[in-house]
Amino acid sequence: MSTIHKSPWLLHYDGSSCNGCDIEVLACTTPVYDVERFGVINTGNPMHADIFLITGGINSQNESVVKQIYDQMPEPKVVIAVGTCACTGGIFKECYNIKGGADTVIPVDIYVPGCAARPESIIDGVVKGIGLFKEKAAALKMASKAN
Amino acid sequence: MGNRSIVPYGPQHPVLPEPIHLDLVLEDETVVAAIPSIGYIHRGLESLTSKKDFNEMVYVAERICGICSYMHGMAYCMALEDIMNVEVPRRADYLRTIWSELSRLHSHLLWLGLLADAFGFESLFMHSWRLREKILDMFEESTGGRVIFSVNTIGGVLKDMPKEMLEGFVKQLDEMEKEIRETTRIFLDDYTVKSRLVDVGIITGEDSIRRGSVGPMMRASGINVDMRKLGYAAYNDIDFEVITSNKCDSYARCEVRIGEIFQSIDIIRQCVAKIPDTEINTKVTGMPNGESIIRVEQPRGEAFYHVRANGTKFLDRFRVRTPTFANIPALTQTLQGCQYGDVPLLILTIDPCISCTER
Amino acid sequence: MRELKKDLYLIDKSELLHVIMEKKNALWRLCQICCSYPTLEKHFEITYSFANGYELANYRLIAERDEGVPSISRVYKSAINYENEMHELWGLNVENIKVDLHDKLYRIDVETPFLEKEEKEDGQ
Amino acid sequence: MTVQIRIILAICYIVGAPVVIGLLDGFDRKLSARMQGRRGPSVLQPFYDLKKLFEKEFLSANIMQLFMIRSYLCFIVLSGILFFAGFDLLLVVFALSTSAMFLILASTTTHSPFSTQGTHRELIQIMACEPMELLVAVGFYLATKPKTFNVANIVLNSNYSNIVFLPGFFIGFVFILTIKFRKSPFDIATSHHAHQEVIKGVTSEMVGKEYAMVTLAEWYENAILYGIVGLFLINKNPFSIIGAIAVILAVWFLEILIDNTSARVKWQLMLKLAWGVTLVAAGMNLFLLEIIRS
Amino acid sequence: MGQILPFTRQVLKNLFSQPATTNYPFEPKDYPERTRGHIDINKDACILCGMCMRSCPPGAIKVDRAGKTWSINRFDCIQCGYCTEKCPKKCLTIIPGYQEPGPAKFVDTVEVPYEPPKPAAKPAAATTKN
Amino acid sequence: METLVTALICFPFLWAILPACVHNSKRRAFFVYLGCGIVMILSIFTAIRWYIDGGQTLNFRLPFQEMFGHIFLVGDVLLMCFITYLSYKYKRLIIAVLTIVSTVVPTLLEFVGPKLPNTYTMRFDYLTFIMVIIIGVIGSLIGIYAVGYMHGYHIHHHKELTDRRSFFLAMIFVFFGAMFGLVTSANLLSIYFFWEITSVTSFLLIGYTRTEEAITNSFKALWMNLLGGCGLAVAICAGYLWLNTVNLFDMIRLAKINPGDMRYLLPIAMLAFAALTKSAQFPFSGWLLGAMVAPTPSSALLHSATMVKAGVYLLIRLSTAMVDNCVGNMVSLIGGFTFLAASCLAISVTDGKKVLAYSTISNLGLIVACTGCGYEETIWAAVFLVIFHAVSKSMLFQCVGAIENTTGSRDVEDMQGLMSIFPKLALILMVGIAGMFLAPFGMLISKWAALKAFIDTKSVYVSTLMVMFICFGSATTMFYWTKWMAKILGASKRPKSRDLTKKNEYISMFFHAFLMVTLILGFPWLSVNVLKPLSREMFGVVEQVISRQNIIIMIVLLVGIFVIPLINYLMTKNTGYRQVLTYMGGANAGDNMNFVSATGDPREMHVANFYMEEIMGEKKLFTPAIMISTFIIIVYLIIVIGGTLA
Ligand code: SF4
Ligand code: SF4
Ligand code: SF4
Ligand code: SF4
Ligand code: SF4
Ligand code: SF4
Ligand code: SF4
Ligand code: SF4
């Protein structure tokens, strides 16, 4: 029985958000919301992370950063786009330097809308993301058996 | 290259929730050179003026920054009110002042928390943020949003705060004040905290002017400048002293911001006591034509709005010089010769707002 | 409030460095440099704002599309970012910036996005 | 002490240490959370984390790291066995520092800026702690009659708890435990809480099972350290075990409390404090003890 | 110098008092009435004028006069409330209760019963989330 | 036996003429190899022969003892003249004074002083046995290495220097002879002669390149060593004036049976003082550091098998006379202090050879401290340290030299990722470093014994201080070695490139590595069959220094340190894994070496080790260390001399 759904460590990267969503992500770790209840640790290191929380849209400079961080995360992993910006580009999507939401460079598993996304929303998103782990872990096991 | 390390710092780094990148040259852990680079969040939102009309731009302006979002929206509205010669009702001015000060409160508490996180004091971080949640609750109760409020409009504000709500807030703030005092005492007195703050990142008053720094960064170097003294919104009716410190180091910056927390509480009290009963907005008609500069004191310092309209609904130029942008040269100076462990701390002592810096 | 209306001085290029030195020596703080390309006038307007205490002084330089302006980054270090920004976003030719980042300040894909915008509207 | 007993003790250590320390860790996280006004995770969280790490995909920048980490784990366990089966205390300390070296080598093989930076801090931490660790062994040697480094003899030959003779050593040791447990204010190389300028320090580049092994090794090491704390109390009276457990729990709580009430200091201050306390507390105690014993 | 561990009192107080953590998501959260959760439409009042579509800053609303639908991409909406200001019929409101996160972005479409020239016909079945 | 020993001493001196005269480099190389081979075989043969004969302490007189006596006398005077000439030439008159005083006074006494009983002048015992093997084996390996190294040194790297290889190689042989003579002599007069030869030879070797720096440093070495020589001279005088003997062992015996009498202690103190200078203890460490300017083989020679070993050899001899008295305390304190101070200093330097130099000083400090304590355990530890140190240090020097010849730099920072560029060199370096400090390897075993002995030392002050020195010193030692190892193992920046190391250099280095491993594996045997008799010889009692249980643990650790990583390596070699870039905060510029810099271009990343210049820097620590140690020496010498006069 995999335990990944019981200890999803998350990595937060600020794409090009306005910070509204970022501070709400941070707020999730603080006493009132305390995502550590679900075993979540806000790690800063992609190598240790299971959930990639990305806020804000993608621009030409952070594109490679986002992609690289994603690549450095070991499977199984879940990407959660937090905030309207990360979902679609939001209010900034017409800016010359915004390429769109997070899904323009990496596959997104859960979209959390809102501007700013509320901590409750983020918790819901994380919980839904955790739900995906079971399947992903099983799929990974299958794949490694096949090898 | 000998015993010098050349390492990247950021853009993704846990002590930096916002992406900023530094090339660091280190000797052991002493920073010999630090070259900052920005651009990871650059969106180009100033250019949206050609796509959004001046009314929609209020919402864009708010989203320049999620922390002082309120003041961005307000400053933008003030600039257009200036261009269009709109007289804002007095109650709206007071409401704006109250929300501004609440923003400052929440921003400074947030900053204290992040500072605690940067020097590895997790429980203090948690505690500061727990206090901050109460301010956010006030925001949510009065505006419906926790970080982005959308209550400003050209000509005033969109939502009023009834008397009971205001008085409730004051009561809550009275209660919080004691707790905040307890918490901030740790920042000022604790031995380990002081070992991280005192004499770290010194910048003198003259240097801070030469480098164009603003806000608490400048006031902590003994320069007495606070844009609220210009008397915008209701500040001309409010009695307050500019808080400065002469120590010029990180500790001084912390001290100044802590002082401002209590000052904000006091200003809110004064506002609630004095707030007049008028309309909260005036109808605005026509197209803006003209140019205006507005300077407001945000939690991080002076924000500089330069708006130029040409008589159409699309503005010619909408320019924001945010406090962080102005503080980066000073940051670069303080980084020289600091310790590697001080880097996140020093970045934090300018209270960075990269998102608004890069717009 | 309403600061621009009283303190805007038009200067030309030759006066610029003189003004800057004067401000520097009087310990004025460089607030910002703003570049714009108004739709109607079709030239660059570069506004330098200085503050001293609560006072504000704005100096405006007018430059044509392909005209260069001198850099003030040797007098005011903090001008480096502003000038690089003007060059990267507007294509304004600022001569001899102390640290010339060669359009790498924001590292955007679009060339001179702000000017492009104006050009497009020209076409319409 | 017979060989059978030693073997049993060693097996108890191998099996029991991760369970006990894992649980302590779980309670630690719960307690820390409560101190911060949060609810915190389940007390079994450390085990979930560990299991998950073993299940993650294995990626690496340098495969050399893996065998170094395994060696690190093996050596820690070996030192633990030496300790709990009652062998020579000084050799245990030496074996521990050998194992630490494998960790250091493991983290530098990748040449990542953060793990290398963390490594150097780790080295400083080791340098800060090592004198005290050696001195503890010296202290026990002096305190027991006849003088011996042998853990079993230390326990079996002492009529009183050795803490009576070694208060300074105890204080010094508890002080460096904060460094050893990577707790604030001395969590400079790798931090379990808050965020670190060196990301995850030595473990920055360790993924999945590598990280799990390091965590496991840390648990084994902590077991030894708690064991040494217990050694201050244990004497030939079996009831002293209760006292030892009480003191271990008290030290554990104290470490959590300190962790939650201090900022991370810089390495210069850490080195100064650690060596200062070692010199003053343990040095004075050593001097007095020698006078008494000579 | 400074004091040694002055935070101890607060920490111990926290340890022995109730944590501040809410029980969300196991207990629902009570939102204040002003909370800007999501846009709701009173489809009977809408006249498909498209004012909301033109004013929405991120362009989340689509009004299709011909197909008689009003649709909103909830993953685009920034809850600014500008549409509610602008709507001539005041048929848009912003109410508590936010859009749930999900694995895919989607558009909520409402069929609007409004008949421009003639009086309104029977309202068609509408699908609104929440 | 007499003949063998005589041959051992004389052969190298005579053979030195060959390389000195032959200038064809091929032929000269051949002679050097041959000479080294003969020295090695001769020394091993002598030693084994003695061991097989029962390993009894042999006291004897050389054949033609009278003649040798005259040779020594004339030699002393010639050396004095030579040094005086040099000091005149380079205007360093103090040196002339030192040499004249220290030579003339004993020589005069020899003529006018009381006639001494005609006792044995030579001794061969277990300590000699060990020293002879070390000098013979390690020394001749260095000689072999030197041929290849000096070739590369002159042909590839230092074309600007005059090629005086003949001289250099000849000096190496002179060194061997002097060392053999030193360790077999029992008579202070002959010891003095050989002692001065090593001083002068080292002076010549250090000044080999004749650069400004080399000359300054060589004179530094000379005056410090001559100062030591003065100590020796004083001891000889005391022998003539009070003790009626110039036999080292008689002096030691006399000091032992008259514990409180300062007059008997004075010569011991003076000999100890001489030994301290020779073994480069603080405050006399300067010369060994300065010796780094010389080509690597001479550093290797000075640091590992010869020169500095002369000092500790003498101290080990003296140790039984220093138990729990003020001379012993002085020696322990100086040693312990040197151990700590030098290891701190080693942290702050980047130059590989300099690190080795400091580590030599520091390790010698530990040995010296052990001898000063003079207990059985400490002597056990000291001898072990001498053996391990000789092998690993020689190996390290050779390796660093080879690295320098190959990569053009001996800076530790430039050895980043050596493991993947020059795996062979790196491996040797690793074994050498491990030999210097890792747990089951020599150093820590010895440290265990030393620590135990120091706790038991009688004087409470000395004991407390020594324990502190050892504890802190081990911590700092760990620091500088580990960071060096870490550097070697890191990822490499450069591609693999051609290894310029000569075959003969490799032969020497691999042989060392092999020796190292053998020593480690053979250490229980060594302990029982060599060290136990040695302590029986010195202390008359035989006690198990280290318990059987601990021996077993050490063997377990020992096997562990080879086997565990190996098994793990084999087990993990084929682990499936996905290769990723190292983590640089998302700023990698496509590979592990470069990152996207602030200007948007790739920039090479570099992570340097810690050097703690502000805390441990030479500027900060060196002078205070000298002052403290000088203070210690002066205080104790005043006590001894005062006691003598009183
Ligand atoms: S969704 Fe809104 S709050 Fe979040 S980053 Fe984007 S603009 Fe900011
Ligand atoms: S240090 Fe603070 S901001 Fe950074 S990741 Fe951790 S919680 Fe977030
Ligand atoms: S600087 Fe402020 S806004 Fe930016 S990431 Fe840090 S806490 Fe958030
Ligand atoms: S710095 Fe800018 S974005 Fe940040 S709070 Fe201030 S105004 Fe807002
Ligand atoms: S600095 Fe960062 S957090 Fe602060 S307002 Fe700007 S973008 Fe937001
Ligand atoms: S706003 Fe008024 S005029 Fe415009 S489309 Fe709507 S109903 Fe018609
Ligand atoms: S609330 Fe704002 S973003 Fe949402 S639909 Fe209305 S106008 Fe558009
Ligand atoms: S919702 Fe309002 S603004 Fe939008 S189409 Fe309907 S009536 Fe018009």
Side-chain angles (χ1 to χ4, degrees), chain E residues 41 45-53 63 70 83 86-92:
Chain E
I41 181 169
C46 174
I47 54 169
L48 289 175
C49 66
M51 200 60 210
C52 49
M53 173 168 78
V63 177
W70 178 96
C83 51
K86 283 293 190 171
C87 175
K89 306 298 281 185
K90 295 285 168 236
C91 60
L92 292 176

Side-chain angles (χ1 to χ4, degrees), chain F residues 438-491:
Chain F
L438 258 191
F441 291 80
M443 285 303 159
L444 281 191
I445 299 173
S446 322
K447 232 184 262 167
W448 184 92
L451 202 50
K452 182 160 152 23
F454 284 127
I455 312 173
D456 294 333
T457 306
K458 288 246 165 48
S459 160
V460 173
Y461 301 94
V462 176
S463 163
T464 312
L465 271 176
M466 289 310 297
V467 168
M468 285 299 184
F469 283 146
I470 302 279
C471 289
F472 282 92
S474 335
T476 43
T477 307
M478 168 100 181
F479 188 86
Y480 68 85
W481 285 126
T482 313
K483 71 178 185 181
W484 192 351
M485 270 174 115
K487 192 98 237 173
I488 299 168
L489 276 187

Side-chain angles (χ1 to χ4, degrees), chain D residues 216-228:
Chain D
L216 201 57
E218 243 164 46
W219 290 0
Y220 276 115
E221 186 180 4
N222 290 357
I224 304 175
L225 297 171
Y226 281 125
I228 296 178

Side-chain angles (χ1 to χ4, degrees), chain C residues 15-68:
Chain C
E15 283 170 286
L16 178 67
L17 284 174
H18 176 69
V19 169
I20 302 292
M21 284 313 295
E22 206 172 78
K23 289 291 166 201
K24 183 194 168 174
N25 292 337
L27 212 59
W28 282 60
R29 168 169 68 90
L30 176 67
C31 265
Q32 66 131 10
I33 306 175
C34 172
C35 177
S36 63
Y37 194 81
T39 336
L40 302 176
E41 287 85 350
K42 301 223 178 304
H43 55 216
F44 285 120
E45 288 181 4
I46 303 123
T47 314
Y48 299 83
S49 309
F50 296 91
N52 185 4
Y54 298 100
E55 272 177 81
L56 186 72
N58 302 291
Y59 297 88
R60 176 163 294 169
L61 202 66
I62 309 274
E64 294 309 320
R65 260 303 290 278
D66 35 16
E67 205 180 331

Side-chain angles (χ1 to χ4, degrees), chain A:
Chain A
M1 183 54 207
S2 161
T3 57
I4 185 161
H5 60 282
K6 285 194 171 154
S7 93
W9 293 357
L10 65 81
L11 173 79
H12 162 220
Y13 182 70
D14 175 355
S16 58
S17 85
C18 78
N19 248 341
C21 290
D22 294 280
I23 55 173
E24 293 293 54
V25 167
L26 269 188
C28 283
T29 65
T30 58
V32 175
Y33 300 100
D34 190 26
V35 280
E36 205 188 344
R37 286 177 293 156
F38 309 103
V40 167
I41 291 180
N42 182 3
T43 165
N45 184 350
M47 306 260 192
H48 294 174
D50 308 299
I51 296 184
F52 187 10
L53 272 186
I54 178 162
T55 52
I58 299 298
N59 68 20
S60 47
Q61 196 176 340
N62 69 27
E63 195 177 0
S64 64
V65 178
V66 170
K67 195 150 172 29
Q68 189 187 338
I69 291 173
Y70 177 77
D71 283 342
Q72 279 173 334
M73 289 173 57
E75 293 283 353
K77 56 191 167 192
V78 163
V79 178
I80 302 181
V82 175
T84 304
C85 287
C87 293
T88 64
I91 192 168
F92 304 120
K93 65 166 160 291
E94 287 167 87
C95 293
Y96 58 83
N97 201 28
I98 289 290
K99 304 197 165 177
D103 47 9
T104 48
V105 281
I106 53 172
V108 172
D109 295 295
I110 300 285
Y111 296 91
V112 180
C115 181
R118 301 180 53 88
E120 286 88 2
S121 269
I122 299 171
I123 290 179
D124 282 350
V126 169
V127 169
K128 286 204 168 155
I130 291 171
L132 295 178
F133 270 123
K134 282 188 195 168
E135 301 157 32
K136 290 207 170 195
L140 189 73
K141 217 169 213 169
M142 293 286 282
S144 68
K145 267 200 195 120
N147 284 341

